[in-house]
Each structure stands twice: as C-alpha cells, then as structure tokens.
Amino acid sequence: MADRPDRTDRTDRPASASADAAYTSQTPHVPHMPQTASRMAASLVVLRERASGMEVLLLRRAVRANDFSSDAYVFPGGVVDAGDRRAHGVCDDLDDATASARLRIPEGGLDYYVAAIRECFEETGVLFAQDVAGTALDPQRLDALRAQREALHDGTIDIASLCQSSNVRLAPRHLHYLSHWVTPLALPKRFDTRFFLAMLPSDQPVDVDRIETAAHRWMRPQYALTHADQLRLLPPTRKLLAWLDGMDSAAQAIATASALREIPRIQPRLAQGKRGRWPITPDEPAWAELSLVDPAEQGTGSYDIEPGRIVTLMPGVLRVSASNPGMMTGPGTNTYLIGGGPQNAWAVIDPGPDDAAHIDAILRAATGAVRQIFVTHTHRDHSPGARLLKEKTGATTYGMAALHDEGQDTSFVPDVTLADGDEVTLPDGRRLRAIHTPGHAANHLCYGLNEASLVFTGDHVMQGSTVVINPPDGHMATYLASLEKLAALDARWLAPGHGFVMDRPAQRIARLIAHRLAREASTLAALRQVGPASIETLTPVVYADVPAARHAVAKRSLRAHLEKLAEDGRAAVSSDGRWRSLEATDAA
C-alpha cells in the first residue's frame, strides 16, 4: 500500500512508544537543520495482572543495521495508515467524533485507536476485537486471524478487509488514552504519537512476528526501570513505566488512565551530555534553560553542568560552574558573568569557593577586564573566591558582610555595602539591582538584571532542591517573606547559585512556599504525636520522607520551623530542650 512506510525499512516507522526509535540519534548535529513534518503514530501499552503484581508487555526490536533502536525493548506501535480510517466501520462502541474529542483534535481520532490495535496485532498477535455478536474471540478464531498477519503486515490486505472477511469487530473501547509524545525538532525522522493503555484481552498468548520484533517479555515496571540501560529503554518508555510503577495494580492503572482529561503534548528538547544526545522532557532540570541556550531546538545545549564549561545563557550573560559538587552544592556553585559591550568589560556574580582553578576558568570566560565582583551571601561556597579574583583583577567588590560567624566567610568585607533596592551600573551599561532576601542567610542578596528579566538568586531559590535554614543566621519566617518578595517581581528567569536556569518564577516560588508550609504542618503533627520531644526525636518523624543520611542537615531546618512556630505562639520549648505544641487538641 503506497500510504504505508516501506516494510523493508523498519527505521522509517516508529517502534515501541511508536516514536521511541526517533527520540535519540547518532546523526551528527547539523546547525539550523530544517524541520521535518511529524507522522501520526500510535502505541499500545498492554498490561496483565499476576499474583506477583502488574506486568507490562515489552517487545525486543529486531537487530538492524543503522537503526539506533535495534535490540531495544519497546511497546507495540507504529505509524497510522490510511487503511486505519477505512476501519472506522468495523469499530464497536466508539465513533470518530468521540475518539477525536478525547484526543482533542478536529477529526481522525479513531485512526489512532485503530492503528494501535492493528500494530499490536501485527507485532504480537494480540487482537482487541470480538465477533459480531460481541463475544470474545476463541483460540481457533484467533489463530485463523493470526494466519493473515503477514498479508496485513506487507499491505496485501488492510485491517478493515480482515475484519469484514472474518466477521470480526474491533474493540477500541478497551483502549484508554494515556499520553502524547512528539519527536524533538532536531531529528530527521519525527512522529506525533498517541499512547493508549489496555488490559490483555482474555489472556491471549503473545506470538511475536519475528520480522520487526525478535522477542517479548512481561515485566514488572520497577524491574524494567531498574534494568533500563540494559534493556535500552528509550525516553517515552521510561516515563510511562515510571508512571505505571506508581500504581498498585493494573486495575488502578486502567482506572486512573480512564479518568485522565488533560493530557499534555510532550515534545522533548534534544541536548548533549555524558550519555550523548538525549531528549529532555519538561520535568527535567535542564528543560527551561535549553529554551534560552538553544531556542531553535537544534540539540546544541547541554543537560549536564560541567565544571569550567562556559555556557552562554543569553547575550552578555555567561555561567561557569565550580568543581565543588556535593549534597549541599548540587552540581557545583554557579558563577555568572555579565558584560561584553564596546569596552569588553565584565561583572562577576558569586566567584565561588577559594579555588584557583575556578578563578582561572572565570578569567577565561571573561575575555576582557573584570571590573566588578558581586556576592549574594557569605557561605563558603559563594564568596571566598572574591579575594583571589580581586587580587588578579583589582575589581570592586559588592555585597554585605557576614552578620554571624558560624559557617560564614567572615573574611569577605565588600568595598561597597549594598542595601535593598540599590542599583549599580555594570561595565556594559546595564544596571543590576540588589534585592535583600534574608532567610537562608541574614546577608543574602539576589540581583535583578531588569533588561533581561533575569534574577540571580544565589541560594535563596535553588534548582531541584530546597535550601537549609540554619538559625541563628537563617530564619524561617523571614525566608518565607523573602520568597513572597521575590515572587512579586516581574521576572521571567531565575539564575540560581546551584543548578540550571529556571522559568515561571512565581509558580516555582509558590511551590517552595507550599513545601515549607507543609513541612510546618508535619512539624505540628509530630509535636502532637511524640511531643514533648527533642529535635533529635522529632527529626525522623517530620522528615520521614528524607533519607536518614540527610537528617543531620534536616535538623537545622527543623529548628527553624520550631522557632517560627514558637514566634507564632503555636509551640514552646522547655529548659531541657524538648518541644511541645501549644495548640488545642481535638480531645480538648
């Protein structure tokens, strides 16, 4: 059939996640690669329930030369054929208008359901169908239909003809729309794939076609995820398996999928990193930053933060990260450079730790003179580098000196002490505004670059993590107020002291505030449950969701929460260090 892909070239049609095969590529990057149109595709995630729990059907792709997804485990699926539309008349209990409404498209929604059923049948022999009386297919009837799979596969017949000649009706009502993925723009073969979820009908046996599929396995989602690299699972497969792993049973997964109403369109952005070119999805750390560094989505950005690597975030704004990764610093401390312009002069924000190699990396990034050094706060991963950088450049330092000694770089004393709202003209003519945001540290400053709608947040807002509030320099109520202050700014981007640039500042800050208030509620609940109690006793109760290895750090923030509750008149501490709730109990 002319409208179907060449059956001898399996790289021309998506596998598994139908489009899974198109999500990674070994093709060298070509700048400004023209976008290719995406082809409609459908994929079917098939479940069964066993005594050991829910299992999902995964197919091992046949090994083929020049096919990146060779030998990968995938879901059944493939492109939508013109013949799939001709099968509307052999579908029971679902019409095109209803199917299209579910997929939120004007028409042709039923094509995707039919394609998912057909591809699953071609590849596995499992058929979501019934006879004209509505009865499940018996083994003999199914075997007779399976005998025609090769003709269906090579296009000699289409699915409508097969059903009509066999008095069989397709059963798309058993499929539940689950997810929508589109191949990244940078790849030459692109697919617009709808994923469906269904229970294996009547315990039909799986019989793979041995053409595009070499073998099959039923797996627990957690097992597949644990062995994701060995199974060569591609991004949509991994994401959907992770979703399934959160379900207690196949029945719960089906019920949850059937209740879904808003299914987002996911189009990953291709990026570079330690595992090669890889698609990044909206829930991953690098997502927002990639729209800055690679707006054409050609795969030139990175999903890794590498020490010493110069990243151009926007014109005249660079980032260089220090080689100090760890539990408290994430991938390392970010140093930002602002400048260029006619004089090729630069300002530096947060020179980082006392590390000569990092200072040298900053100077390599600043192709001209460094005139100004700004410090967000005096924790030892942010300000100590100012001394050496000033020695090498003679730059003027700005910020606030430490207000407490514990954990602080007390040697940093700025040439110019900044206050909230102060503005400084940068070497390139832009203006940087100081925003006093105490809470994590009493002397914490964020810096707003209004021309870029960008705020450098230091440790006030970090990417992928909440910050430690460590009294007495840290103060929880003040921290929450500072978050509200930052959320009120008209900023588009947040550049944190650790991690990637973030978008949607107000939404991200709202989540941070909600997290802190939820932890406060957990603290009150723990006081009612085990109080009066010491911080040592309360910590594993309040932070039950945090690994025990981090409880020593969590104690600091717990103290800050308790002190806020005391300030609010909701808790008190006795002379022996035991905390109790002052709120009336239900029994009272």
Side-chain angles (χ1 to χ4, degrees):
M1 297 170 61
D3 54 280
R4 301 199 70 170
D6 181 357
R7 292 294 187 164
T8 64
D9 178 11
R10 304 313 299 171
T11 63
D12 192 46
R13 62 196 299 249
S16 143
S18 305
D20 254 3
Y23 277 88
T24 53
S25 173
Q26 293 176 321
T27 304
H29 169 66
V30 179
H32 307 297
M33 181 187 297
Q35 296 180 16
T36 55
S38 56
R39 302 177 68 186
M40 297 189 304
S43 186
L44 186 52
V45 183
V46 182
L47 305 179
R48 72 179 184 183
E49 194 70 55
R50 288 294 183 264
S52 59
M54 173 178 61
E55 295 179 339
V56 60
L57 177 62
L58 289 169
L59 309 181
R60 182 164 63 85
R61 293 253 302 170
V63 176
R64 298 184 64 87
N66 301 317
D67 182 354
F68 183 84
S69 62
S70 285
D71 212 32
Y73 277 83
V74 300
F75 299 125
V79 294
V80 176
D81 290 343
D84 296 328
R85 178 157 298 193
R86 292 192 287 271
H88 288 193
V90 295
C91 290
D92 273 349
D93 302 322
L94 185 65
D95 58 29
D96 186 63
T98 303
S100 299
R102 288 181 185 173
L103 273 56
R104 297 188 180 277
I105 57 178
E107 62 177 357
L110 192 54
D111 298 3
Y112 288 93
Y113 284 81
V114 173
I117 292 172
R118 173 183 51 74
E119 287 287 340
C120 183
F121 179 58
E122 289 181 13
E123 295 173 354
T124 72
V126 172
L127 182 60
F128 289 81
Q130 59 199 20
D131 64 23
V132 292
T135 305
L137 302 177
D138 59 44
Q140 293 75 22
R141 192 80 172 276
L142 185 60
D143 286 343
L145 289 163
R146 285 179 170 181
Q148 301 183 68
R149 277 197 295 164
E150 186 173 347
L152 181 63
H153 188 278
D154 64 22
T156 303
I157 61 173
D158 61 21
I159 189 68
S161 301
L162 175 64
C163 291
Q164 290 164 353
S165 64
S166 305
N167 288 322
V168 166
R169 307 282 295 178
L170 299 181
R173 69 182 183 279
H174 295 302
L175 277 61
H176 304 277
Y177 182 36
L178 180 62
S179 191
H180 181 194
W181 288 70
V182 181
T183 308
L185 290 176
L187 294 177
K189 292 181 180 179
R190 304 185 59 241
F191 301 91
D192 187 323
T193 307
R194 311 288 178 142
F195 289 82
F196 301 89
L197 186 70
M199 288 291 294
L200 178 70
S202 304
D203 266 345
Q204 290 185 21
V206 175
D207 177 24
V208 298
D209 60 9
R210 306 290 174 180
I211 300 173
E212 56 192 277
T213 303
H216 80 280
R217 288 179 66 179
W218 288 98
M219 300 185 205
R220 296 290 303 275
Q222 186 178 50
Y223 175 89
L225 290 168
T226 301
H227 299 84
D229 289 339
Q230 298 96 307
L231 297 171
R232 304 196 66 194
L233 300 183
L234 295 167
T237 312
R238 295 179 189 232
K239 295 292 185 181
L240 292 177
L241 285 170
W243 181 84
L244 287 170
D245 191 43
M247 301 293 152
D248 293 331
S249 65
Q252 183 189 18
I254 294 293
T256 303
S258 66
L260 293 175
R261 292 295 176 265
E262 296 295 330
I263 294 178
R265 176 182 182 272
I266 301 172
Q267 181 173 297
R269 293 169 177 158
L270 209 62
Q272 307 280 353
K274 294 175 182 176
R275 68 188 309 168
R277 296 182 85 195
W278 194 256
I280 302 302
T281 52
D283 60 331
E284 295 183 76
W287 173 260
E289 182 172 304
L290 289 173
S291 68
L292 274 178
V293 302
D294 182 19
E297 298 190 33
Q298 294 299 299
T300 58
S302 177
Y303 52 78
D304 289 326
I305 290 181
E306 302 173 25
R309 182 170 178 263
I310 302 168
V311 179
T312 300
L313 298 172
M314 54 182 67
V317 180
L318 314 178
R319 182 185 67 224
V320 180
S321 299
S323 183
N324 63 335
M327 183 175 71
M328 303 297 292
T329 56
T333 301
N334 291 333
T335 295
Y336 295 96
L337 296 90
I338 308 170
Q343 299 181 22
N344 191 23
W346 296 82
V348 170
I349 296 177
D350 275 351
D354 187 7
D355 179 353
H358 181 56
I359 300 304
D360 288 343
I362 294 171
L363 293 173
R364 285 195 299 272
T367 54
V370 173
R371 301 278 177 79
Q372 297 164 325
I373 302 169
F374 294 86
V375 167
T376 60
H377 63 299
T378 49
H379 285 169
R380 291 170 183 159
D381 55 329
H382 286 262
S383 63
R387 177 191 58 80
L388 182 56
L389 186 59
K390 181 178 175 65
E391 288 177 2
K392 287 179 174 285
T393 64
T396 302
T397 57
Y398 299 79
M400 296 176 68
L403 300 181
H404 298 86
D405 292 340
E406 182 184 355
Q408 301 285 334
D409 170 24
T410 55
S411 68
F412 176 76
V413 179
D415 297 325
V416 179
T417 297
L418 295 174
D420 185 53
D422 286 350
E423 289 195 355
V424 179
T425 301
L426 301 179
D428 66 355
R430 289 184 281 187
R431 295 182 67 79
L432 195 69
R433 180 161 62 96
I435 307 160
H436 189 207
T437 49
H440 171 65
N443 65 341
H444 196 288
L445 294 167
C446 293
Y447 293 101
L449 187 63
N450 292 342
E451 292 89 344
S453 193
L454 173 67
V455 176
F456 301 93
T457 64
D459 279 358
H460 188 56
V461 177
M462 297 198 307
Q463 198 234 12
S465 175
T466 55
V467 301
V468 175
I469 309 300
N470 187 24
D473 194 53
H475 187 264
M476 187 62 71
T478 304
Y479 175 68
L480 291 171
S482 293
L483 285 175
E484 295 279 8
K485 177 180 181 179
L486 198 63
L489 299 178
D490 185 22
R492 184 179 178 188
W493 306 101
L494 302 178
H498 307 276
F500 294 92
V501 170
M502 298 173 283
D503 62 357
R504 297 172 295 156
Q507 293 181 37
R508 292 181 184 273
I509 292 170
R511 286 199 293 269
L512 287 176
I513 293 172
H515 171 79
R516 291 296 184 180
L517 294 179
R519 191 70 76 186
E520 180 178 290
S522 297
T523 303
L524 274 172
L527 287 174
R528 290 192 291 267
Q529 177 185 346
V530 300
S534 66
I535 288 179
E536 287 70 21
T537 300
L538 290 167
T539 299
V541 180
V542 177
Y543 289 89
D545 59 327
V546 174
R550 298 189 177 187
H551 283 184
V553 174
K555 288 178 185 178
R556 306 178 199 173
S557 289
L558 177 56
R559 179 178 294 279
H561 276 295
L562 289 166
E563 290 182 357
K564 178 181 180 297
L565 289 171
E567 293 164 6
D568 294 342
R570 304 169 73 188
V573 62
S574 59
S575 58
D576 62 357
R578 295 197 303 162
W579 289 83
R580 68 185 187 280
S581 171
L582 295 181
E583 293 195 335
T585 63
D586 293 340

